[in-house]
Amino acid sequence: MAIYAVVAGSWIILSDVLLAGVVRGLGTFVQVQILKGWFYVAATSVLLYALIRKDTAALRESEARHRASLESMADALILVDSHGRIVEANKAVLTLFGLEAPGMPAELRRFIELLDLRHPDGSPIAWDALPSQRALRGETVREQELLSRHSNGALLHISATASPVATEAGRAPELAVVVLRDLTGLKRLERMRDEFLSTAAHELRTPITTIKGYAQLLDRWTPGGHEPREGKAFRILNRQSDRLTQLVQELLEVSRLQLGRLALRRQRFELGELVADVLERMQGVSSRHRLVLHQEGHVFVDADRERIEQVLVNLFDNAIKYSPEGGDIEARVEVREGSGVVSIRDPGMGIPKERQGQLFERFYRAHAGLESDRGGMGIGLHLCEQIVQRHGGRIWFESEVGKGSIFSFSLALAQQVGQEHEARV
């Protein structure tokens, strides 16, 4: 276009100067100027047409490459605008949900209704919680798991990643790109694995119980053993059988959780009393630690007492295990922000910062490969998290290497106690 402007300007100036020196007579000069104008318009039109055609061809080529890139993606991609319209979607979207192009809704709300989009627990997902709407608020959503329906009625497990399309600084995003990935096959394999682990755990319980029973029987038949070392061997057999039983039980519990077979038997109880009971029992595990309870006032919760006891045992056991130098382990029970909260502080080795992000993942061991490794299957904390979340609570921690850790979890207050507490406040 710059070349066009230079050529046009030069033509106008030079042609006028040339005509003024060559043409004589006003009438003839006017006629020549008119002819020159027609010629200029015709030449300009041809040149502009050529430029527009060239730019259009380049634009179409760019769009074709863009479309080819979208269609070559294995994952489904949807572009949504701030008005709730689906601006663009690739063929993988139609394939994933078994749709035909004419049946693809242009409105996002209609699309969500068609897919019956839900949270992993089956509850409906609110409009503001959709990955696209979160992205339009400027948030980047990574691998949010959702449930959906195929056009044939089959249940689909999908993962949604959403990002806002960059705009001018200070302006709200007008577009969001959402990438959907099919996790159904992976979830099926995970379920098969959990079924296998559940079956294996059941089968292992019988021989372990038998080994423990015969070890105790031999110890009774020959108290202390024929020789001192025999008595020691019986005690080791008994202790390791207990350890193996605990590992198998944890594996079984995790499998039940994943398969949705773990029912909660809720009851109203005083949380501090349960913590005190567990603390008293755990005190006998180590003579190098002193377990201390801090509590002011009663904290009543509505929960499965046995499952919460399981959480407490795991947390106290970890606090003792990862504090090899001994010291005070402090438990605190309190009401905080309308919930019953238990916190357990240890003076131990702490957790490396780079390993904290995966701490509650199944089979993850934060100290694996380090000198501080104390073994285990990496199930305990995952089990704690799942149990607390099933109660509608949350679990969190603070940790610093060399300074210990604080693990906390919250539970909803029992309704009667919650009302009394609000009245007092």
Side-chain angles (χ1 to χ4, degrees), residues 270-318:
E270 210 283 307
L271 189 56
E273 290 181 3
L274 177 60
V275 175
D277 288 345
V278 174
L279 183 146
E280 185 177 357
R281 278 183 287 138
M282 296 300 293
Q283 181 64 76
V285 173
S286 172
S287 59
R288 305 182 67 180
H289 297 82
R290 186 170 74 101
L291 275 60
V292 183
L293 174 62
H294 302 285
Q295 180 180 5
E296 294 182 8
H298 295 296
V299 180
F300 286 91
V301 295
D302 182 20
D304 187 319
R305 186 184 178 94
E306 290 185 5
R307 296 300 174 193
I308 300 305
E309 179 179 340
Q310 195 174 356
V311 171
L312 290 168
V313 169
N314 265 303
L315 295 181
F316 275 119
D317 185 55
N318 281 347

Side-chain angles (χ1 to χ4, degrees), residues 23 34 37 48-49 52 59 70 89 148 153 195 238 313 322 357 415:
V23 178
I34 293 172
L48 287 176
Y49 175 76
I52 292 171
L59 180 61
L70 291 182
S148 181
E195 291 280 5
N238 198 37
V313 169
Y322 291 102
Q415 187 174 4

